[in-house]
Amino acid sequence: MKTETDQAQIEHIIQTLKQDLPTLFERDITYDIYSQDILFKDPISRFKGKFNYRIIFWTLRFHGQLFFTELYFDLHDVYQSEENIILADWTVSGTLRLPWKAKIFFNGQSCYRLTDEKLIYEHIDTWDRKPSEILRQFFRKGM
């Protein structure tokens, strides 16, 4: 049964995600909304634990600055789809630091599952194309 407190906690998580995600390539996110044993999975990786989760975001920032002249995480929507599930729809786009200025672009969705205590214990990303298709964008000339 959902209480007012539960809904307030879910709203806090949604607002935190709305604040954190658009700038995840520029600065660190807020970790107090995640459980210690958070599971992260996307089409190319799988990690468990808050320490590893922090490393994922550090790595995204590091590689983003190293390999891209521009890199954006455009957040389209964050919403509660079921009692303990929050979804985020987004697009990643950027320009690689290559002489031919290759562009990268893909859409995705993050599914966050919540514990009864209203902490995120699972973060699963799905993408609108295969990793190999995204990698091929590196070799196309940008516009």
PDB file of all heavy atoms in Angstrom, residues 20-29 57 59-65 68 71-74 91-93 106:
ATOM      1  N   ASP A  20      20.074  15.520 -11.913  1.00  0.00           N
ATOM      2  CA  ASP A  20      21.387  14.898 -12.114  1.00  0.00           C
ATOM      3  C   ASP A  20      21.667  14.474 -13.554  1.00  0.00           C
ATOM      4  O   ASP A  20      22.773  14.679 -14.057  1.00  0.00           O
ATOM      5  CB  ASP A  20      21.529  13.642 -11.247  1.00  0.00           C
ATOM      6  CG  ASP A  20      21.774  13.941  -9.787  1.00  0.00           C
ATOM      7  OD1 ASP A  20      21.994  15.121  -9.435  1.00  0.00           O
ATOM      8  OD2 ASP A  20      21.756  12.980  -8.984  1.00  0.00           O
ATOM      9  N   LEU A  21      20.692  13.849 -14.200  1.00  0.00           N
ATOM     10  CA  LEU A  21      20.972  13.200 -15.484  1.00  0.00           C
ATOM     11  C   LEU A  21      21.424  14.147 -16.599  1.00  0.00           C
ATOM     12  O   LEU A  21      22.366  13.813 -17.323  1.00  0.00           O
ATOM     13  CB  LEU A  21      19.762  12.359 -15.923  1.00  0.00           C
ATOM     14  CG  LEU A  21      19.455  11.168 -15.015  1.00  0.00           C
ATOM     15  CD1 LEU A  21      18.199  10.440 -15.484  1.00  0.00           C
ATOM     16  CD2 LEU A  21      20.632  10.221 -14.931  1.00  0.00           C
ATOM     17  N   PRO A  22      20.812  15.316 -16.774  1.00  0.00           N
ATOM     18  CA  PRO A  22      21.254  16.177 -17.887  1.00  0.00           C
ATOM     19  C   PRO A  22      22.730  16.599 -17.804  1.00  0.00           C
ATOM     20  O   PRO A  22      23.321  16.948 -18.819  1.00  0.00           O
ATOM     21  CB  PRO A  22      20.332  17.392 -17.793  1.00  0.00           C
ATOM     22  CG  PRO A  22      19.119  16.888 -17.094  1.00  0.00           C
ATOM     23  CD  PRO A  22      19.636  15.878 -16.107  1.00  0.00           C
ATOM     24  N   THR A  23      23.321  16.577 -16.619  1.00  0.00           N
ATOM     25  CA  THR A  23      24.709  17.035 -16.477  1.00  0.00           C
ATOM     26  C   THR A  23      25.662  15.901 -16.085  1.00  0.00           C
ATOM     27  O   THR A  23      26.770  16.154 -15.627  1.00  0.00           O
ATOM     28  CB  THR A  23      24.797  18.157 -15.422  1.00  0.00           C
ATOM     29  OG1 THR A  23      24.312  17.656 -14.168  1.00  0.00           O
ATOM     30  CG2 THR A  23      23.991  19.375 -15.843  1.00  0.00           C
ATOM     31  N   LEU A  24      25.251  14.643 -16.296  1.00  0.00           N
ATOM     32  CA  LEU A  24      26.086  13.523 -15.827  1.00  0.00           C
ATOM     33  C   LEU A  24      27.443  13.446 -16.527  1.00  0.00           C
ATOM     34  O   LEU A  24      28.370  12.852 -15.979  1.00  0.00           O
ATOM     35  CB  LEU A  24      25.346  12.193 -15.917  1.00  0.00           C
ATOM     36  CG  LEU A  24      25.008  11.600 -17.279  1.00  0.00           C
ATOM     37  CD1 LEU A  24      26.164  10.825 -17.882  1.00  0.00           C
ATOM     38  CD2 LEU A  24      23.823  10.679 -17.130  1.00  0.00           C
ATOM     39  N   PHE A  25      27.602  14.054 -17.702  1.00  0.00           N
ATOM     40  CA  PHE A  25      28.907  14.086 -18.363  1.00  0.00           C
ATOM     41  C   PHE A  25      29.779  15.223 -17.840  1.00  0.00           C
ATOM     42  O   PHE A  25      30.949  15.308 -18.182  1.00  0.00           O
ATOM     43  CB  PHE A  25      28.753  14.215 -19.882  1.00  0.00           C
ATOM     44  CG  PHE A  25      28.148  12.999 -20.538  1.00  0.00           C
ATOM     45  CD1 PHE A  25      27.002  13.105 -21.299  1.00  0.00           C
ATOM     46  CD2 PHE A  25      28.731  11.746 -20.391  1.00  0.00           C
ATOM     47  CE1 PHE A  25      26.444  11.995 -21.912  1.00  0.00           C
ATOM     48  CE2 PHE A  25      28.181  10.626 -20.997  1.00  0.00           C
ATOM     49  CZ  PHE A  25      27.033  10.753 -21.764  1.00  0.00           C
ATOM     50  N   GLU A  26      29.206  16.112 -17.030  1.00  0.00           N
ATOM     51  CA  GLU A  26      29.926  17.284 -16.535  1.00  0.00           C
ATOM     52  C   GLU A  26      30.243  17.222 -15.042  1.00  0.00           C
ATOM     53  O   GLU A  26      31.292  17.696 -14.613  1.00  0.00           O
ATOM     54  CB  GLU A  26      29.107  18.545 -16.803  1.00  0.00           C
ATOM     55  CG  GLU A  26      28.827  18.764 -18.271  1.00  0.00           C
ATOM     56  CD  GLU A  26      27.577  19.606 -18.500  1.00  0.00           C
ATOM     57  OE1 GLU A  26      27.294  20.488 -17.668  1.00  0.00           O
ATOM     58  OE2 GLU A  26      26.883  19.358 -19.490  1.00  0.00           O
ATOM     59  N   ARG A  27      29.315  16.683 -14.250  1.00  0.00           N
ATOM     60  CA  ARG A  27      29.545  16.637 -12.803  1.00  0.00           C
ATOM     61  C   ARG A  27      28.898  15.390 -12.207  1.00  0.00           C
ATOM     62  O   ARG A  27      28.035  14.771 -12.813  1.00  0.00           O
ATOM     63  CB  ARG A  27      29.041  17.899 -12.123  1.00  0.00           C
ATOM     64  CG  ARG A  27      27.581  18.162 -12.229  1.00  0.00           C
ATOM     65  CD  ARG A  27      27.223  19.425 -11.421  1.00  0.00           C
ATOM     66  NE  ARG A  27      25.831  19.746 -11.595  1.00  0.00           N
ATOM     67  CZ  ARG A  27      25.386  20.721 -12.358  1.00  0.00           C
ATOM     68  NH1 ARG A  27      26.209  21.495 -13.008  1.00  0.00           N
ATOM     69  NH2 ARG A  27      24.095  20.949 -12.464  1.00  0.00           N
ATOM     70  N   ASP A  28      29.310  15.086 -10.999  1.00  0.00           N
ATOM     71  CA  ASP A  28      28.860  13.872 -10.337  1.00  0.00           C
ATOM     72  C   ASP A  28      27.375  13.941  -9.991  1.00  0.00           C
ATOM     73  O   ASP A  28      26.799  15.017  -9.850  1.00  0.00           O
ATOM     74  CB  ASP A  28      29.695  13.645  -9.067  1.00  0.00           C
ATOM     75  CG  ASP A  28      29.850  12.176  -8.730  1.00  0.00           C
ATOM     76  OD1 ASP A  28      29.341  11.315  -9.485  1.00  0.00           O
ATOM     77  OD2 ASP A  28      30.500  11.876  -7.712  1.00  0.00           O
ATOM     78  N   ILE A  29      26.780  12.764  -9.856  1.00  0.00           N
ATOM     79  CA  ILE A  29      25.368  12.667  -9.507  1.00  0.00           C
ATOM     80  C   ILE A  29      25.210  12.520  -7.994  1.00  0.00           C
ATOM     81  O   ILE A  29      26.195  12.383  -7.268  1.00  0.00           O
ATOM     82  CB  ILE A  29      24.701  11.481 -10.242  1.00  0.00           C
ATOM     83  CG1 ILE A  29      25.310  10.153  -9.790  1.00  0.00           C
ATOM     84  CG2 ILE A  29      24.799  11.655 -11.756  1.00  0.00           C
ATOM     85  CD1 ILE A  29      24.519   8.933 -10.208  1.00  0.00           C
ATOM     86  N   PHE A  57      29.970   6.320 -13.350  1.00  0.00           N
ATOM     87  CA  PHE A  57      29.711   7.729 -13.672  1.00  0.00           C
ATOM     88  C   PHE A  57      31.009   8.535 -13.780  1.00  0.00           C
ATOM     89  O   PHE A  57      31.112   9.426 -14.620  1.00  0.00           O
ATOM     90  CB  PHE A  57      28.720   8.340 -12.678  1.00  0.00           C
ATOM     91  CG  PHE A  57      27.333   7.861 -12.943  1.00  0.00           C
ATOM     92  CD1 PHE A  57      26.796   6.796 -12.239  1.00  0.00           C
ATOM     93  CD2 PHE A  57      26.564   8.439 -13.940  1.00  0.00           C
ATOM     94  CE1 PHE A  57      25.521   6.330 -12.512  1.00  0.00           C
ATOM     95  CE2 PHE A  57      25.294   7.989 -14.224  1.00  0.00           C
ATOM     96  CZ  PHE A  57      24.767   6.920 -13.504  1.00  0.00           C
ATOM     97  N   THR A  59      33.781   7.271 -14.899  1.00  0.00           N
ATOM     98  CA  THR A  59      34.310   6.837 -16.197  1.00  0.00           C
ATOM     99  C   THR A  59      33.588   7.544 -17.343  1.00  0.00           C
ATOM    100  O   THR A  59      34.231   7.954 -18.319  1.00  0.00           O
ATOM    101  CB  THR A  59      34.180   5.305 -16.335  1.00  0.00           C
ATOM    102  OG1 THR A  59      34.883   4.690 -15.255  1.00  0.00           O
ATOM    103  CG2 THR A  59      34.749   4.804 -17.645  1.00  0.00           C
ATOM    104  N   LEU A  60      32.273   7.691 -17.236  1.00  0.00           N
ATOM    105  CA  LEU A  60      31.528   8.410 -18.280  1.00  0.00           C
ATOM    106  C   LEU A  60      32.031   9.848 -18.427  1.00  0.00           C
ATOM    107  O   LEU A  60      32.234  10.330 -19.540  1.00  0.00           O
ATOM    108  CB  LEU A  60      30.034   8.428 -17.953  1.00  0.00           C
ATOM    109  CG  LEU A  60      29.266   7.137 -18.195  1.00  0.00           C
ATOM    110  CD1 LEU A  60      27.848   7.259 -17.646  1.00  0.00           C
ATOM    111  CD2 LEU A  60      29.234   6.798 -19.680  1.00  0.00           C
ATOM    112  N   ARG A  61      32.239  10.513 -17.292  1.00  0.00           N
ATOM    113  CA  ARG A  61      32.743  11.899 -17.347  1.00  0.00           C
ATOM    114  C   ARG A  61      34.156  11.942 -17.921  1.00  0.00           C
ATOM    115  O   ARG A  61      34.465  12.769 -18.791  1.00  0.00           O
ATOM    116  CB  ARG A  61      32.714  12.534 -15.956  1.00  0.00           C
ATOM    117  CG  ARG A  61      31.343  12.917 -15.491  1.00  0.00           C
ATOM    118  CD  ARG A  61      31.369  13.762 -14.229  1.00  0.00           C
ATOM    119  NE  ARG A  61      32.169  13.198 -13.151  1.00  0.00           N
ATOM    120  CZ  ARG A  61      31.757  12.238 -12.322  1.00  0.00           C
ATOM    121  NH1 ARG A  61      30.558  11.724 -12.456  1.00  0.00           N
ATOM    122  NH2 ARG A  61      32.547  11.795 -11.362  1.00  0.00           N
ATOM    123  N   PHE A  62      35.021  11.059 -17.451  1.00  0.00           N
ATOM    124  CA  PHE A  62      36.415  11.042 -17.902  1.00  0.00           C
ATOM    125  C   PHE A  62      36.498  10.788 -19.404  1.00  0.00           C
ATOM    126  O   PHE A  62      37.139  11.539 -20.137  1.00  0.00           O
ATOM    127  CB  PHE A  62      37.201   9.976 -17.122  1.00  0.00           C
ATOM    128  CG  PHE A  62      38.628   9.861 -17.559  1.00  0.00           C
ATOM    129  CD1 PHE A  62      39.567  10.789 -17.138  1.00  0.00           C
ATOM    130  CD2 PHE A  62      39.020   8.830 -18.393  1.00  0.00           C
ATOM    131  CE1 PHE A  62      40.890  10.691 -17.545  1.00  0.00           C
ATOM    132  CE2 PHE A  62      40.350   8.730 -18.808  1.00  0.00           C
ATOM    133  CZ  PHE A  62      41.281   9.659 -18.386  1.00  0.00           C
ATOM    134  N   HIS A  63      35.849   9.717 -19.868  1.00  0.00           N
ATOM    135  CA  HIS A  63      35.907   9.392 -21.295  1.00  0.00           C
ATOM    136  C   HIS A  63      35.168  10.410 -22.139  1.00  0.00           C
ATOM    137  O   HIS A  63      35.572  10.687 -23.267  1.00  0.00           O
ATOM    138  CB  HIS A  63      35.381   7.977 -21.543  1.00  0.00           C
ATOM    139  CG  HIS A  63      36.336   6.935 -21.084  1.00  0.00           C
ATOM    140  ND1 HIS A  63      36.048   6.074 -20.058  1.00  0.00           N
ATOM    141  CD2 HIS A  63      37.593   6.646 -21.466  1.00  0.00           C
ATOM    142  CE1 HIS A  63      37.078   5.283 -19.846  1.00  0.00           C
ATOM    143  NE2 HIS A  63      38.039   5.618 -20.683  1.00  0.00           N
ATOM    144  N   GLY A  64      34.119  10.983 -21.592  1.00  0.00           N
ATOM    145  CA  GLY A  64      33.403  12.031 -22.318  1.00  0.00           C
ATOM    146  C   GLY A  64      34.292  13.222 -22.617  1.00  0.00           C
ATOM    147  O   GLY A  64      34.321  13.736 -23.730  1.00  0.00           O
ATOM    148  N   GLN A  65      35.064  13.647 -21.614  1.00  0.00           N
ATOM    149  CA  GLN A  65      35.961  14.790 -21.809  1.00  0.00           C
ATOM    150  C   GLN A  65      37.166  14.428 -22.671  1.00  0.00           C
ATOM    151  O   GLN A  65      37.661  15.254 -23.432  1.00  0.00           O
ATOM    152  CB  GLN A  65      36.413  15.333 -20.455  1.00  0.00           C
ATOM    153  CG  GLN A  65      35.271  15.963 -19.680  1.00  0.00           C
ATOM    154  CD  GLN A  65      35.631  16.285 -18.246  1.00  0.00           C
ATOM    155  OE1 GLN A  65      36.773  16.168 -17.829  1.00  0.00           O
ATOM    156  NE2 GLN A  65      34.630  16.678 -17.472  1.00  0.00           N
ATOM    157  N   PHE A  68      35.462  13.387 -26.603  1.00  0.00           N
ATOM    158  CA  PHE A  68      34.445  14.187 -27.275  1.00  0.00           C
ATOM    159  C   PHE A  68      34.728  15.680 -27.129  1.00  0.00           C
ATOM    160  O   PHE A  68      35.164  16.132 -26.083  1.00  0.00           O
ATOM    161  CB  PHE A  68      33.050  13.904 -26.678  1.00  0.00           C
ATOM    162  CG  PHE A  68      32.542  12.528 -26.982  1.00  0.00           C
ATOM    163  CD1 PHE A  68      32.902  11.445 -26.195  1.00  0.00           C
ATOM    164  CD2 PHE A  68      31.708  12.318 -28.065  1.00  0.00           C
ATOM    165  CE1 PHE A  68      32.438  10.170 -26.485  1.00  0.00           C
ATOM    166  CE2 PHE A  68      31.240  11.048 -28.355  1.00  0.00           C
ATOM    167  CZ  PHE A  68      31.608   9.968 -27.565  1.00  0.00           C
ATOM    168  N   LEU A  71      29.395  16.628 -25.853  1.00  0.00           N
ATOM    169  CA  LEU A  71      28.688  15.417 -25.456  1.00  0.00           C
ATOM    170  C   LEU A  71      27.494  15.820 -24.611  1.00  0.00           C
ATOM    171  O   LEU A  71      27.641  16.557 -23.630  1.00  0.00           O
ATOM    172  CB  LEU A  71      29.616  14.484 -24.676  1.00  0.00           C
ATOM    173  CG  LEU A  71      29.066  13.112 -24.305  1.00  0.00           C
ATOM    174  CD1 LEU A  71      28.636  12.328 -25.553  1.00  0.00           C
ATOM    175  CD2 LEU A  71      30.113  12.327 -23.535  1.00  0.00           C
ATOM    176  N   TYR A  72      26.311  15.358 -25.011  1.00  0.00           N
ATOM    177  CA  TYR A  72      25.073  15.766 -24.356  1.00  0.00           C
ATOM    178  C   TYR A  72      24.244  14.562 -23.924  1.00  0.00           C
ATOM    179  O   TYR A  72      24.183  13.552 -24.628  1.00  0.00           O
ATOM    180  CB  TYR A  72      24.219  16.627 -25.300  1.00  0.00           C
ATOM    181  CG  TYR A  72      24.950  17.824 -25.812  1.00  0.00           C
ATOM    182  CD1 TYR A  72      25.479  17.835 -27.096  1.00  0.00           C
ATOM    183  CD2 TYR A  72      25.145  18.937 -25.003  1.00  0.00           C
ATOM    184  CE1 TYR A  72      26.175  18.934 -27.568  1.00  0.00           C
ATOM    185  CE2 TYR A  72      25.838  20.044 -25.475  1.00  0.00           C
ATOM    186  CZ  TYR A  72      26.358  20.032 -26.753  1.00  0.00           C
ATOM    187  OH  TYR A  72      27.046  21.116 -27.222  1.00  0.00           O
ATOM    188  N   PHE A  73      23.623  14.703 -22.777  1.00  0.00           N
ATOM    189  CA  PHE A  73      22.639  13.744 -22.302  1.00  0.00           C
ATOM    190  C   PHE A  73      21.337  14.527 -22.198  1.00  0.00           C
ATOM    191  O   PHE A  73      21.136  15.293 -21.254  1.00  0.00           O
ATOM    192  CB  PHE A  73      23.047  13.180 -20.931  1.00  0.00           C
ATOM    193  CG  PHE A  73      22.182  12.045 -20.467  1.00  0.00           C
ATOM    194  CD1 PHE A  73      22.586  10.734 -20.662  1.00  0.00           C
ATOM    195  CD2 PHE A  73      20.967  12.283 -19.845  1.00  0.00           C
ATOM    196  CE1 PHE A  73      21.790   9.675 -20.235  1.00  0.00           C
ATOM    197  CE2 PHE A  73      20.161  11.238 -19.415  1.00  0.00           C
ATOM    198  CZ  PHE A  73      20.579   9.922 -19.615  1.00  0.00           C
ATOM    199  N   ASP A  74      20.499  14.396 -23.222  1.00  0.00           N
ATOM    200  CA  ASP A  74      19.228  15.126 -23.248  1.00  0.00           C
ATOM    201  C   ASP A  74      18.150  14.270 -22.599  1.00  0.00           C
ATOM    202  O   ASP A  74      17.794  13.204 -23.116  1.00  0.00           O
ATOM    203  CB  ASP A  74      18.834  15.474 -24.686  1.00  0.00           C
ATOM    204  CG  ASP A  74      19.811  16.444 -25.321  1.00  0.00           C
ATOM    205  OD1 ASP A  74      20.167  17.432 -24.642  1.00  0.00           O
ATOM    206  OD2 ASP A  74      20.217  16.214 -26.464  1.00  0.00           O
ATOM    207  N   THR A  91      18.343  10.902 -24.734  1.00  0.00           N
ATOM    208  CA  THR A  91      19.151  10.814 -25.953  1.00  0.00           C
ATOM    209  C   THR A  91      20.573  11.236 -25.613  1.00  0.00           C
ATOM    210  O   THR A  91      20.780  12.228 -24.912  1.00  0.00           O
ATOM    211  CB  THR A  91      18.606  11.758 -27.051  1.00  0.00           C
ATOM    212  OG1 THR A  91      17.260  11.381 -27.360  1.00  0.00           O
ATOM    213  CG2 THR A  91      19.462  11.709 -28.309  1.00  0.00           C
ATOM    214  N   VAL A  92      21.547  10.473 -26.112  1.00  0.00           N
ATOM    215  CA  VAL A  92      22.950  10.857 -26.024  1.00  0.00           C
ATOM    216  C   VAL A  92      23.389  11.280 -27.419  1.00  0.00           C
ATOM    217  O   VAL A  92      23.116  10.589 -28.400  1.00  0.00           O
ATOM    218  CB  VAL A  92      23.844   9.692 -25.525  1.00  0.00           C
ATOM    219  CG1 VAL A  92      25.324  10.018 -25.692  1.00  0.00           C
ATOM    220  CG2 VAL A  92      23.529   9.368 -24.068  1.00  0.00           C
ATOM    221  N   SER A  93      24.042  12.437 -27.493  1.00  0.00           N
ATOM    222  CA  SER A  93      24.579  12.904 -28.771  1.00  0.00           C
ATOM    223  C   SER A  93      25.895  13.622 -28.502  1.00  0.00           C
ATOM    224  O   SER A  93      26.122  14.123 -27.406  1.00  0.00           O
ATOM    225  CB  SER A  93      23.592  13.839 -29.474  1.00  0.00           C
ATOM    226  OG  SER A  93      23.353  14.978 -28.684  1.00  0.00           O
ATOM    227  N   PHE A 106      22.231   8.269 -30.042  1.00  0.00           N
ATOM    228  CA  PHE A 106      21.335   7.142 -29.775  1.00  0.00           C
ATOM    229  C   PHE A 106      20.356   7.520 -28.669  1.00  0.00           C
ATOM    230  O   PHE A 106      20.634   8.374 -27.844  1.00  0.00           O
ATOM    231  CB  PHE A 106      22.085   5.847 -29.450  1.00  0.00           C
ATOM    232  CG  PHE A 106      22.905   5.869 -28.191  1.00  0.00           C
ATOM    233  CD1 PHE A 106      22.421   5.333 -27.009  1.00  0.00           C
ATOM    234  CD2 PHE A 106      24.193   6.404 -28.192  1.00  0.00           C
ATOM    235  CE1 PHE A 106      23.189   5.339 -25.850  1.00  0.00           C
ATOM    236  CE2 PHE A 106      24.968   6.413 -27.041  1.00  0.00           C
ATOM    237  CZ  PHE A 106      24.461   5.881 -25.864  1.00  0.00           C
TER     238      PHE A 106
END
